[in-house]
Amino acid sequence: MRAYIDGLHYNLDELQFEAVVISPLYRDEDGYISSDGDYEGDITIPSHISQNGIVYSVVAIANGAFRDSYIQSLTMSNSISRIGNKAFFNCNGLTKIKLSTNITFVGYDVFTGTPWLDDQPFGLLYVGKVLYTHIGKITNETNVKIKEGTIAIADYAFVDQEELRSIIIPNSIKHIGSCAFQYCSGLVSINIPNGVTKIEEYTFENCSKLS
């Protein structure tokens, strides 16, 4: 069920009492894409919302929820645990983000095209409990260590990092995303902890030096 509350659009799960922030765009009964407006300015995502006397926990941001919108800043409550693919893609005015500390899944291209991402310093970028990407091109046959407490490596996290030589993955990691190390042609050493429960497809595609 869709709902519009305090400037944000949601899908409501009436069985789990959970809400997901969604795009204002939707497909009408004739199959055409329509819009209930657009997002802009400063956005705060609450931890809970109420609809018809029922309280819902706001747990996720859907694929493309804010894509191409005019938002400038974003504050997430710590109830948010998942961010879908391209959720903030091409939000070219988005300069400030306060992330949830409890994020366990981040899709691909979530922040691509945002000034916020462009302003991140060189090195590993964590989004909640997920290693999202490495900012900048790795050089000089670098060895990388992921911090303990990280539970996932996002899709495409190290794609095309040819100078990455080895990576140490902590025991806390449970999931390694699709294409995470794709085209890391210089990668010669990686440990996969016993706690990893899923490795997506193409994770090590064209890692020619891995045995």
Side-chain angles (χ1 to χ4, degrees):
M1 180 176 71
R2 288 180 66 98
Y4 179 71
I5 301 170
D6 295 333
L8 292 174
H9 297 267
Y10 299 92
N11 268 338
L12 304 180
D13 184 331
E14 297 177 278
L15 295 178
Q16 299 296 322
F17 303 112
E18 292 179 342
V20 177
V21 181
I22 60 173
S23 170
L25 300 176
Y26 65 97
R27 196 171 295 278
D28 65 22
E29 59 185 14
D30 296 319
Y32 295 103
I33 295 178
S34 299
S35 176
D36 285 330
D38 203 356
Y39 295 131
E40 60 184 6
D42 301 324
I43 299 293
T44 297
I45 300 176
S47 59
H48 296 84
I49 57 172
S50 180
Q51 175 80 345
N52 297 327
I54 300 174
V55 176
Y56 297 84
S57 296
V58 182
V59 297
I61 301 170
N63 294 347
F66 294 89
R67 179 174 180 168
D68 297 320
S69 68
Y70 302 102
I71 65 173
Q72 297 173 321
S73 72
L74 174 75
T75 301
M76 297 180 198
S77 70
N78 285 331
S79 62
I80 296 293
S81 63
R82 297 175 61 86
I83 306 176
N85 302 332
K86 298 191 175 185
F88 303 98
F89 184 82
N90 202 33
C91 291
N92 54 27
L94 182 56
T95 59
K96 297 179 181 179
I97 301 178
K98 182 180 179 182
L99 293 163
S100 164
T101 59
N102 294 316
I103 295 168
T104 58
F105 174 84
V106 182
Y108 62 83
D109 280 345
V110 169
F111 303 105
T112 301
T114 67
W116 177 83
L117 183 62
D118 294 340
D119 287 344
Q120 298 304 305
F122 179 86
L124 298 176
L125 175 60
Y126 295 90
V127 175
K129 298 177 181 180
V130 179
L131 172 57
Y132 178 63
T133 192
H134 186 286
I135 300 295
K137 200 70 173 175
I138 292 173
T139 58
N140 301 322
E141 301 184 354
T142 298
N143 305 313
V144 170
K145 182 177 182 179
I146 299 173
K147 70 180 182 181
E148 186 65 45
T150 306
I151 68 169
I153 301 172
D155 296 350
Y156 303 99
F158 292 94
V159 68
D160 289 325
Q161 295 284 8
E162 297 97 340
E163 290 292 313
L164 175 64
R165 287 297 178 264
S166 71
I167 186 160
I168 299 174
I169 298 176
N171 291 329
S172 56
I173 291 285
K174 306 298 182 186
H175 177 262
I176 303 177
S178 176
C179 305
F181 299 97
Q182 189 180 46
Y183 301 115
C184 290
S185 55
L187 184 62
V188 297
S189 174
I190 185 170
N191 66 301
I192 305 296
N194 292 333
V196 173
T197 58
K198 190 168 187 180
I199 299 175
E200 301 289 353
E201 60 182 358
Y202 309 121
T203 296
F204 299 106
E205 183 180 39
N206 290 313
C207 294
S208 54
K209 293 185 179 179
L210 279 181
S211 57

PDB file of all heavy atoms in Angstrom, residues 80-117:
ATOM      1  N   ILE A  80      17.046   2.572   9.377  1.00  0.00           N
ATOM      2  CA  ILE A  80      17.291   2.187   7.987  1.00  0.00           C
ATOM      3  C   ILE A  80      18.396   1.132   7.933  1.00  0.00           C
ATOM      4  O   ILE A  80      19.502   1.346   8.429  1.00  0.00           O
ATOM      5  CB  ILE A  80      17.706   3.406   7.136  1.00  0.00           C
ATOM      6  CG1 ILE A  80      16.568   4.436   7.068  1.00  0.00           C
ATOM      7  CG2 ILE A  80      18.120   2.970   5.734  1.00  0.00           C
ATOM      8  CD1 ILE A  80      15.348   3.967   6.305  1.00  0.00           C
ATOM      9  N   SER A  81      18.086  -0.013   7.302  1.00  0.00           N
ATOM     10  CA  SER A  81      19.075  -1.084   7.189  1.00  0.00           C
ATOM     11  C   SER A  81      19.427  -1.423   5.740  1.00  0.00           C
ATOM     12  O   SER A  81      20.440  -2.090   5.501  1.00  0.00           O
ATOM     13  CB  SER A  81      18.570  -2.355   7.893  1.00  0.00           C
ATOM     14  OG  SER A  81      17.393  -2.838   7.259  1.00  0.00           O
ATOM     15  N   ARG A  82      18.618  -0.958   4.780  1.00  0.00           N
ATOM     16  CA  ARG A  82      18.866  -1.308   3.382  1.00  0.00           C
ATOM     17  C   ARG A  82      18.681  -0.076   2.494  1.00  0.00           C
ATOM     18  O   ARG A  82      17.738   0.702   2.682  1.00  0.00           O
ATOM     19  CB  ARG A  82      17.902  -2.407   2.904  1.00  0.00           C
ATOM     20  CG  ARG A  82      18.055  -3.733   3.636  1.00  0.00           C
ATOM     21  CD  ARG A  82      16.999  -4.736   3.190  1.00  0.00           C
ATOM     22  NE  ARG A  82      17.084  -5.041   1.777  1.00  0.00           N
ATOM     23  CZ  ARG A  82      17.872  -5.977   1.257  1.00  0.00           C
ATOM     24  NH1 ARG A  82      18.652  -6.696   2.050  1.00  0.00           N
ATOM     25  NH2 ARG A  82      17.887  -6.207  -0.041  1.00  0.00           N
ATOM     26  N   ILE A  83      19.593   0.064   1.510  1.00  0.00           N
ATOM     27  CA  ILE A  83      19.484   1.121   0.507  1.00  0.00           C
ATOM     28  C   ILE A  83      19.558   0.457  -0.860  1.00  0.00           C
ATOM     29  O   ILE A  83      20.537  -0.227  -1.188  1.00  0.00           O
ATOM     30  CB  ILE A  83      20.591   2.170   0.637  1.00  0.00           C
ATOM     31  CG1 ILE A  83      20.645   2.739   2.056  1.00  0.00           C
ATOM     32  CG2 ILE A  83      20.372   3.300  -0.367  1.00  0.00           C
ATOM     33  CD1 ILE A  83      21.778   3.727   2.284  1.00  0.00           C
ATOM     34  N   GLY A  84      18.524   0.653  -1.672  1.00  0.00           N
ATOM     35  CA  GLY A  84      18.427  -0.014  -2.964  1.00  0.00           C
ATOM     36  C   GLY A  84      19.290   0.608  -4.049  1.00  0.00           C
ATOM     37  O   GLY A  84      19.848   1.700  -3.899  1.00  0.00           O
ATOM     38  N   ASN A  85      19.390  -0.105  -5.159  1.00  0.00           N
ATOM     39  CA  ASN A  85      20.191   0.328  -6.293  1.00  0.00           C
ATOM     40  C   ASN A  85      19.801   1.738  -6.747  1.00  0.00           C
ATOM     41  O   ASN A  85      18.615   2.068  -6.857  1.00  0.00           O
ATOM     42  CB  ASN A  85      19.996  -0.616  -7.478  1.00  0.00           C
ATOM     43  CG  ASN A  85      20.359  -2.048  -7.165  1.00  0.00           C
ATOM     44  OD1 ASN A  85      21.196  -2.308  -6.304  1.00  0.00           O
ATOM     45  ND2 ASN A  85      19.735  -2.987  -7.854  1.00  0.00           N
ATOM     46  N   LYS A  86      20.806   2.560  -6.999  1.00  0.00           N
ATOM     47  CA  LYS A  86      20.632   3.900  -7.573  1.00  0.00           C
ATOM     48  C   LYS A  86      19.659   4.775  -6.779  1.00  0.00           C
ATOM     49  O   LYS A  86      19.003   5.650  -7.335  1.00  0.00           O
ATOM     50  CB  LYS A  86      20.190   3.802  -9.038  1.00  0.00           C
ATOM     51  CG  LYS A  86      21.215   3.097  -9.918  1.00  0.00           C
ATOM     52  CD  LYS A  86      20.923   3.235 -11.404  1.00  0.00           C
ATOM     53  CE  LYS A  86      22.057   2.623 -12.224  1.00  0.00           C
ATOM     54  NZ  LYS A  86      21.885   2.836 -13.671  1.00  0.00           N
ATOM     55  N   ALA A  87      19.603   4.558  -5.475  1.00  0.00           N
ATOM     56  CA  ALA A  87      18.654   5.303  -4.645  1.00  0.00           C
ATOM     57  C   ALA A  87      18.862   6.809  -4.732  1.00  0.00           C
ATOM     58  O   ALA A  87      17.897   7.579  -4.704  1.00  0.00           O
ATOM     59  CB  ALA A  87      18.755   4.844  -3.201  1.00  0.00           C
ATOM     60  N   PHE A  88      20.126   7.247  -4.852  1.00  0.00           N
ATOM     61  CA  PHE A  88      20.426   8.685  -4.926  1.00  0.00           C
ATOM     62  C   PHE A  88      21.196   9.021  -6.202  1.00  0.00           C
ATOM     63  O   PHE A  88      21.874  10.046  -6.276  1.00  0.00           O
ATOM     64  CB  PHE A  88      21.233   9.110  -3.698  1.00  0.00           C
ATOM     65  CG  PHE A  88      20.531   8.807  -2.405  1.00  0.00           C
ATOM     66  CD1 PHE A  88      20.844   7.676  -1.678  1.00  0.00           C
ATOM     67  CD2 PHE A  88      19.530   9.636  -1.936  1.00  0.00           C
ATOM     68  CE1 PHE A  88      20.180   7.375  -0.491  1.00  0.00           C
ATOM     69  CE2 PHE A  88      18.857   9.352  -0.753  1.00  0.00           C
ATOM     70  CZ  PHE A  88      19.186   8.213  -0.036  1.00  0.00           C
ATOM     71  N   PHE A  89      21.061   8.177  -7.194  1.00  0.00           N
ATOM     72  CA  PHE A  89      21.800   8.332  -8.448  1.00  0.00           C
ATOM     73  C   PHE A  89      21.514   9.695  -9.083  1.00  0.00           C
ATOM     74  O   PHE A  89      20.369  10.110  -9.222  1.00  0.00           O
ATOM     75  CB  PHE A  89      21.396   7.210  -9.411  1.00  0.00           C
ATOM     76  CG  PHE A  89      22.149   7.205 -10.712  1.00  0.00           C
ATOM     77  CD1 PHE A  89      23.401   6.627 -10.796  1.00  0.00           C
ATOM     78  CD2 PHE A  89      21.597   7.775 -11.848  1.00  0.00           C
ATOM     79  CE1 PHE A  89      24.097   6.613 -11.998  1.00  0.00           C
ATOM     80  CE2 PHE A  89      22.286   7.765 -13.053  1.00  0.00           C
ATOM     81  CZ  PHE A  89      23.543   7.185 -13.125  1.00  0.00           C
ATOM     82  N   ASN A  90      22.582  10.401  -9.429  1.00  0.00           N
ATOM     83  CA  ASN A  90      22.491  11.685 -10.129  1.00  0.00           C
ATOM     84  C   ASN A  90      21.743  12.752  -9.333  1.00  0.00           C
ATOM     85  O   ASN A  90      21.126  13.650  -9.923  1.00  0.00           O
ATOM     86  CB  ASN A  90      21.847  11.509 -11.513  1.00  0.00           C
ATOM     87  CG  ASN A  90      22.194  12.643 -12.456  1.00  0.00           C
ATOM     88  OD1 ASN A  90      23.282  13.215 -12.390  1.00  0.00           O
ATOM     89  ND2 ASN A  90      21.273  12.991 -13.336  1.00  0.00           N
ATOM     90  N   CYS A  91      21.798  12.686  -8.028  1.00  0.00           N
ATOM     91  CA  CYS A  91      21.290  13.792  -7.191  1.00  0.00           C
ATOM     92  C   CYS A  91      22.415  14.822  -7.111  1.00  0.00           C
ATOM     93  O   CYS A  91      23.201  14.848  -6.156  1.00  0.00           O
ATOM     94  CB  CYS A  91      20.906  13.290  -5.804  1.00  0.00           C
ATOM     95  SG  CYS A  91      19.452  12.225  -5.782  1.00  0.00           S
ATOM     96  N   ASN A  92      22.521  15.652  -8.132  1.00  0.00           N
ATOM     97  CA  ASN A  92      23.707  16.488  -8.278  1.00  0.00           C
ATOM     98  C   ASN A  92      23.753  17.699  -7.358  1.00  0.00           C
ATOM     99  O   ASN A  92      24.678  18.507  -7.447  1.00  0.00           O
ATOM    100  CB  ASN A  92      23.897  16.913  -9.739  1.00  0.00           C
ATOM    101  CG  ASN A  92      22.673  17.581 -10.331  1.00  0.00           C
ATOM    102  OD1 ASN A  92      21.876  18.174  -9.612  1.00  0.00           O
ATOM    103  ND2 ASN A  92      22.514  17.484 -11.637  1.00  0.00           N
ATOM    104  N   GLY A  93      22.776  17.827  -6.460  1.00  0.00           N
ATOM    105  CA  GLY A  93      22.836  18.860  -5.432  1.00  0.00           C
ATOM    106  C   GLY A  93      23.048  18.301  -4.042  1.00  0.00           C
ATOM    107  O   GLY A  93      23.107  19.055  -3.069  1.00  0.00           O
ATOM    108  N   LEU A  94      23.177  16.979  -3.941  1.00  0.00           N
ATOM    109  CA  LEU A  94      23.273  16.320  -2.631  1.00  0.00           C
ATOM    110  C   LEU A  94      24.699  16.421  -2.093  1.00  0.00           C
ATOM    111  O   LEU A  94      25.607  15.736  -2.569  1.00  0.00           O
ATOM    112  CB  LEU A  94      22.841  14.862  -2.749  1.00  0.00           C
ATOM    113  CG  LEU A  94      22.837  14.029  -1.463  1.00  0.00           C
ATOM    114  CD1 LEU A  94      21.970  14.669  -0.392  1.00  0.00           C
ATOM    115  CD2 LEU A  94      22.372  12.602  -1.757  1.00  0.00           C
ATOM    116  N   THR A  95      24.894  17.269  -1.090  1.00  0.00           N
ATOM    117  CA  THR A  95      26.224  17.521  -0.548  1.00  0.00           C
ATOM    118  C   THR A  95      26.430  16.985   0.856  1.00  0.00           C
ATOM    119  O   THR A  95      27.568  16.776   1.273  1.00  0.00           O
ATOM    120  CB  THR A  95      26.519  19.034  -0.536  1.00  0.00           C
ATOM    121  OG1 THR A  95      25.524  19.702   0.263  1.00  0.00           O
ATOM    122  CG2 THR A  95      26.487  19.602  -1.951  1.00  0.00           C
ATOM    123  N   LYS A  96      25.350  16.763   1.601  1.00  0.00           N
ATOM    124  CA  LYS A  96      25.473  16.327   2.989  1.00  0.00           C
ATOM    125  C   LYS A  96      24.586  15.119   3.244  1.00  0.00           C
ATOM    126  O   LYS A  96      23.412  15.124   2.893  1.00  0.00           O
ATOM    127  CB  LYS A  96      25.081  17.456   3.945  1.00  0.00           C
ATOM    128  CG  LYS A  96      25.965  18.689   3.857  1.00  0.00           C
ATOM    129  CD  LYS A  96      25.486  19.764   4.824  1.00  0.00           C
ATOM    130  CE  LYS A  96      26.359  21.012   4.733  1.00  0.00           C
ATOM    131  NZ  LYS A  96      25.895  22.075   5.650  1.00  0.00           N
ATOM    132  N   ILE A  97      25.171  14.085   3.867  1.00  0.00           N
ATOM    133  CA  ILE A  97      24.413  12.885   4.216  1.00  0.00           C
ATOM    134  C   ILE A  97      24.805  12.446   5.622  1.00  0.00           C
ATOM    135  O   ILE A  97      25.997  12.304   5.931  1.00  0.00           O
ATOM    136  CB  ILE A  97      24.666  11.717   3.246  1.00  0.00           C
ATOM    137  CG1 ILE A  97      24.300  12.101   1.815  1.00  0.00           C
ATOM    138  CG2 ILE A  97      23.875  10.486   3.671  1.00  0.00           C
ATOM    139  CD1 ILE A  97      24.574  11.017   0.792  1.00  0.00           C
ATOM    140  N   LYS A  98      23.809  12.228   6.466  1.00  0.00           N
ATOM    141  CA  LYS A  98      24.018  11.553   7.744  1.00  0.00           C
ATOM    142  C   LYS A  98      23.451  10.149   7.600  1.00  0.00           C
ATOM    143  O   LYS A  98      22.242   9.962   7.479  1.00  0.00           O
ATOM    144  CB  LYS A  98      23.327  12.287   8.894  1.00  0.00           C
ATOM    145  CG  LYS A  98      23.571  11.615  10.245  1.00  0.00           C
ATOM    146  CD  LYS A  98      22.877  12.337  11.383  1.00  0.00           C
ATOM    147  CE  LYS A  98      23.120  11.621  12.703  1.00  0.00           C
ATOM    148  NZ  LYS A  98      22.406  12.283  13.833  1.00  0.00           N
ATOM    149  N   LEU A  99      24.335   9.175   7.599  1.00  0.00           N
ATOM    150  CA  LEU A  99      23.951   7.793   7.323  1.00  0.00           C
ATOM    151  C   LEU A  99      23.475   7.084   8.583  1.00  0.00           C
ATOM    152  O   LEU A  99      23.912   7.378   9.691  1.00  0.00           O
ATOM    153  CB  LEU A  99      25.140   7.030   6.748  1.00  0.00           C
ATOM    154  CG  LEU A  99      25.625   7.457   5.360  1.00  0.00           C
ATOM    155  CD1 LEU A  99      27.024   6.926   5.117  1.00  0.00           C
ATOM    156  CD2 LEU A  99      24.660   6.968   4.285  1.00  0.00           C
ATOM    157  N   SER A 100      22.591   6.115   8.385  1.00  0.00           N
ATOM    158  CA  SER A 100      22.260   5.179   9.448  1.00  0.00           C
ATOM    159  C   SER A 100      23.494   4.348   9.778  1.00  0.00           C
ATOM    160  O   SER A 100      24.263   3.959   8.891  1.00  0.00           O
ATOM    161  CB  SER A 100      21.120   4.263   8.998  1.00  0.00           C
ATOM    162  OG  SER A 100      21.009   3.136   9.841  1.00  0.00           O
ATOM    163  N   THR A 101      23.677   4.058  11.039  1.00  0.00           N
ATOM    164  CA  THR A 101      24.802   3.207  11.451  1.00  0.00           C
ATOM    165  C   THR A 101      24.471   1.727  11.338  1.00  0.00           C
ATOM    166  O   THR A 101      25.351   0.881  11.544  1.00  0.00           O
ATOM    167  CB  THR A 101      25.210   3.525  12.899  1.00  0.00           C
ATOM    168  OG1 THR A 101      24.083   3.309  13.762  1.00  0.00           O
ATOM    169  CG2 THR A 101      25.675   4.965  13.034  1.00  0.00           C
ATOM    170  N   ASN A 102      23.217   1.412  11.005  1.00  0.00           N
ATOM    171  CA  ASN A 102      22.765   0.021  10.992  1.00  0.00           C
ATOM    172  C   ASN A 102      22.518  -0.530   9.593  1.00  0.00           C
ATOM    173  O   ASN A 102      21.823  -1.540   9.433  1.00  0.00           O
ATOM    174  CB  ASN A 102      21.491  -0.106  11.833  1.00  0.00           C
ATOM    175  CG  ASN A 102      21.747   0.175  13.301  1.00  0.00           C
ATOM    176  OD1 ASN A 102      22.727  -0.305  13.857  1.00  0.00           O
ATOM    177  ND2 ASN A 102      20.889   0.964  13.921  1.00  0.00           N
ATOM    178  N   ILE A 103      23.097   0.100   8.587  1.00  0.00           N
ATOM    179  CA  ILE A 103      22.907  -0.365   7.211  1.00  0.00           C
ATOM    180  C   ILE A 103      23.668  -1.671   6.992  1.00  0.00           C
ATOM    181  O   ILE A 103      24.858  -1.772   7.279  1.00  0.00           O
ATOM    182  CB  ILE A 103      23.377   0.707   6.216  1.00  0.00           C
ATOM    183  CG1 ILE A 103      22.486   1.951   6.325  1.00  0.00           C
ATOM    184  CG2 ILE A 103      23.368   0.173   4.790  1.00  0.00           C
ATOM    185  CD1 ILE A 103      23.017   3.157   5.620  1.00  0.00           C
ATOM    186  N   THR A 104      22.944  -2.667   6.466  1.00  0.00           N
ATOM    187  CA  THR A 104      23.545  -3.976   6.207  1.00  0.00           C
ATOM    188  C   THR A 104      23.535  -4.352   4.734  1.00  0.00           C
ATOM    189  O   THR A 104      24.134  -5.348   4.344  1.00  0.00           O
ATOM    190  CB  THR A 104      22.807  -5.074   6.994  1.00  0.00           C
ATOM    191  OG1 THR A 104      21.414  -5.074   6.626  1.00  0.00           O
ATOM    192  CG2 THR A 104      22.936  -4.837   8.498  1.00  0.00           C
ATOM    193  N   PHE A 105      22.851  -3.563   3.914  1.00  0.00           N
ATOM    194  CA  PHE A 105      22.850  -3.802   2.464  1.00  0.00           C
ATOM    195  C   PHE A 105      22.842  -2.469   1.739  1.00  0.00           C
ATOM    196  O   PHE A 105      22.047  -1.576   2.068  1.00  0.00           O
ATOM    197  CB  PHE A 105      21.629  -4.614   2.023  1.00  0.00           C
ATOM    198  CG  PHE A 105      21.527  -4.741   0.517  1.00  0.00           C
ATOM    199  CD1 PHE A 105      22.236  -5.729  -0.149  1.00  0.00           C
ATOM    200  CD2 PHE A 105      20.766  -3.848  -0.226  1.00  0.00           C
ATOM    201  CE1 PHE A 105      22.178  -5.827  -1.537  1.00  0.00           C
ATOM    202  CE2 PHE A 105      20.696  -3.948  -1.608  1.00  0.00           C
ATOM    203  CZ  PHE A 105      21.406  -4.940  -2.258  1.00  0.00           C
ATOM    204  N   VAL A 106      23.722  -2.350   0.741  1.00  0.00           N
ATOM    205  CA  VAL A 106      23.772  -1.174  -0.125  1.00  0.00           C
ATOM    206  C   VAL A 106      23.843  -1.665  -1.560  1.00  0.00           C
ATOM    207  O   VAL A 106      24.714  -2.471  -1.912  1.00  0.00           O
ATOM    208  CB  VAL A 106      25.001  -0.288   0.186  1.00  0.00           C
ATOM    209  CG1 VAL A 106      24.987   0.959  -0.697  1.00  0.00           C
ATOM    210  CG2 VAL A 106      25.026   0.106   1.649  1.00  0.00           C
ATOM    211  N   GLY A 107      22.942  -1.202  -2.409  1.00  0.00           N
ATOM    212  CA  GLY A 107      22.925  -1.600  -3.810  1.00  0.00           C
ATOM    213  C   GLY A 107      24.029  -0.931  -4.606  1.00  0.00           C
ATOM    214  O   GLY A 107      24.917  -0.274  -4.068  1.00  0.00           O
ATOM    215  N   TYR A 108      23.950  -1.064  -5.931  1.00  0.00           N
ATOM    216  CA  TYR A 108      24.986  -0.487  -6.788  1.00  0.00           C
ATOM    217  C   TYR A 108      24.598   0.926  -7.243  1.00  0.00           C
ATOM    218  O   TYR A 108      23.438   1.280  -7.324  1.00  0.00           O
ATOM    219  CB  TYR A 108      25.265  -1.382  -7.998  1.00  0.00           C
ATOM    220  CG  TYR A 108      24.099  -1.590  -8.934  1.00  0.00           C
ATOM    221  CD1 TYR A 108      23.791  -0.656  -9.923  1.00  0.00           C
ATOM    222  CD2 TYR A 108      23.305  -2.721  -8.845  1.00  0.00           C
ATOM    223  CE1 TYR A 108      22.717  -0.842 -10.785  1.00  0.00           C
ATOM    224  CE2 TYR A 108      22.232  -2.919  -9.709  1.00  0.00           C
ATOM    225  CZ  TYR A 108      21.952  -1.973 -10.671  1.00  0.00           C
ATOM    226  OH  TYR A 108      20.884  -2.155 -11.512  1.00  0.00           O
ATOM    227  N   ASP A 109      25.606   1.731  -7.513  1.00  0.00           N
ATOM    228  CA  ASP A 109      25.431   3.106  -8.011  1.00  0.00           C
ATOM    229  C   ASP A 109      24.531   3.945  -7.107  1.00  0.00           C
ATOM    230  O   ASP A 109      23.856   4.873  -7.578  1.00  0.00           O
ATOM    231  CB  ASP A 109      24.857   3.094  -9.435  1.00  0.00           C
ATOM    232  CG  ASP A 109      25.903   2.835 -10.494  1.00  0.00           C
ATOM    233  OD1 ASP A 109      27.103   2.951 -10.179  1.00  0.00           O
ATOM    234  OD2 ASP A 109      25.534   2.519 -11.640  1.00  0.00           O
ATOM    235  N   VAL A 110      24.509   3.656  -5.829  1.00  0.00           N
ATOM    236  CA  VAL A 110      23.602   4.358  -4.912  1.00  0.00           C
ATOM    237  C   VAL A 110      23.893   5.854  -4.867  1.00  0.00           C
ATOM    238  O   VAL A 110      22.979   6.677  -4.893  1.00  0.00           O
ATOM    239  CB  VAL A 110      23.695   3.753  -3.501  1.00  0.00           C
ATOM    240  CG1 VAL A 110      22.973   4.635  -2.483  1.00  0.00           C
ATOM    241  CG2 VAL A 110      23.081   2.359  -3.490  1.00  0.00           C
ATOM    242  N   PHE A 111      25.178   6.217  -4.807  1.00  0.00           N
ATOM    243  CA  PHE A 111      25.554   7.622  -4.644  1.00  0.00           C
ATOM    244  C   PHE A 111      26.247   8.201  -5.877  1.00  0.00           C
ATOM    245  O   PHE A 111      26.731   9.333  -5.838  1.00  0.00           O
ATOM    246  CB  PHE A 111      26.474   7.781  -3.432  1.00  0.00           C
ATOM    247  CG  PHE A 111      25.881   7.264  -2.154  1.00  0.00           C
ATOM    248  CD1 PHE A 111      26.308   6.062  -1.613  1.00  0.00           C
ATOM    249  CD2 PHE A 111      24.883   7.961  -1.495  1.00  0.00           C
ATOM    250  CE1 PHE A 111      25.767   5.581  -0.424  1.00  0.00           C
ATOM    251  CE2 PHE A 111      24.327   7.486  -0.315  1.00  0.00           C
ATOM    252  CZ  PHE A 111      24.782   6.290   0.215  1.00  0.00           C
ATOM    253  N   THR A 112      26.285   7.446  -6.969  1.00  0.00           N
ATOM    254  CA  THR A 112      26.954   7.922  -8.178  1.00  0.00           C
ATOM    255  C   THR A 112      26.304   9.209  -8.683  1.00  0.00           C
ATOM    256  O   THR A 112      25.089   9.314  -8.755  1.00  0.00           O
ATOM    257  CB  THR A 112      26.886   6.842  -9.272  1.00  0.00           C
ATOM    258  OG1 THR A 112      27.519   5.652  -8.793  1.00  0.00           O
ATOM    259  CG2 THR A 112      27.572   7.305 -10.544  1.00  0.00           C
ATOM    260  N   GLY A 113      27.146  10.184  -9.011  1.00  0.00           N
ATOM    261  CA  GLY A 113      26.630  11.449  -9.523  1.00  0.00           C
ATOM    262  C   GLY A 113      26.252  12.448  -8.452  1.00  0.00           C
ATOM    263  O   GLY A 113      25.578  13.439  -8.746  1.00  0.00           O
ATOM    264  N   THR A 114      26.699  12.207  -7.215  1.00  0.00           N
ATOM    265  CA  THR A 114      26.418  13.150  -6.126  1.00  0.00           C
ATOM    266  C   THR A 114      27.707  13.854  -5.700  1.00  0.00           C
ATOM    267  O   THR A 114      28.773  13.231  -5.644  1.00  0.00           O
ATOM    268  CB  THR A 114      25.824  12.452  -4.894  1.00  0.00           C
ATOM    269  OG1 THR A 114      26.821  11.588  -4.308  1.00  0.00           O
ATOM    270  CG2 THR A 114      24.596  11.634  -5.265  1.00  0.00           C
ATOM    271  N   PRO A 115      27.637  15.152  -5.371  1.00  0.00           N
ATOM    272  CA  PRO A 115      28.810  15.840  -4.827  1.00  0.00           C
ATOM    273  C   PRO A 115      29.303  15.208  -3.529  1.00  0.00           C
ATOM    274  O   PRO A 115      30.499  15.245  -3.236  1.00  0.00           O
ATOM    275  CB  PRO A 115      28.308  17.270  -4.593  1.00  0.00           C
ATOM    276  CG  PRO A 115      27.139  17.431  -5.508  1.00  0.00           C
ATOM    277  CD  PRO A 115      26.506  16.078  -5.587  1.00  0.00           C
ATOM    278  N   TRP A 116      28.373  14.633  -2.759  1.00  0.00           N
ATOM    279  CA  TRP A 116      28.772  13.979  -1.507  1.00  0.00           C
ATOM    280  C   TRP A 116      29.804  12.894  -1.760  1.00  0.00           C
ATOM    281  O   TRP A 116      30.827  12.823  -1.060  1.00  0.00           O
ATOM    282  CB  TRP A 116      27.553  13.385  -0.821  1.00  0.00           C
ATOM    283  CG  TRP A 116      27.872  12.639   0.442  1.00  0.00           C
ATOM    284  CD1 TRP A 116      28.057  13.168   1.690  1.00  0.00           C
ATOM    285  CD2 TRP A 116      28.091  11.229   0.569  1.00  0.00           C
ATOM    286  NE1 TRP A 116      28.380  12.177   2.589  1.00  0.00           N
ATOM    287  CE2 TRP A 116      28.397  10.981   1.931  1.00  0.00           C
ATOM    288  CE3 TRP A 116      28.052  10.158  -0.324  1.00  0.00           C
ATOM    289  CZ2 TRP A 116      28.666   9.691   2.413  1.00  0.00           C
ATOM    290  CZ3 TRP A 116      28.321   8.877   0.149  1.00  0.00           C
ATOM    291  CH2 TRP A 116      28.621   8.656   1.502  1.00  0.00           C
ATOM    292  N   LEU A 117      29.556  12.052  -2.755  1.00  0.00           N
ATOM    293  CA  LEU A 117      30.500  10.984  -3.063  1.00  0.00           C
ATOM    294  C   LEU A 117      31.810  11.559  -3.596  1.00  0.00           C
ATOM    295  O   LEU A 117      32.896  11.105  -3.229  1.00  0.00           O
ATOM    296  CB  LEU A 117      29.898  10.017  -4.081  1.00  0.00           C
ATOM    297  CG  LEU A 117      30.758   8.796  -4.433  1.00  0.00           C
ATOM    298  CD1 LEU A 117      30.991   7.928  -3.200  1.00  0.00           C
ATOM    299  CD2 LEU A 117      30.113   7.974  -5.540  1.00  0.00           C
TER     300      LEU A 117
END
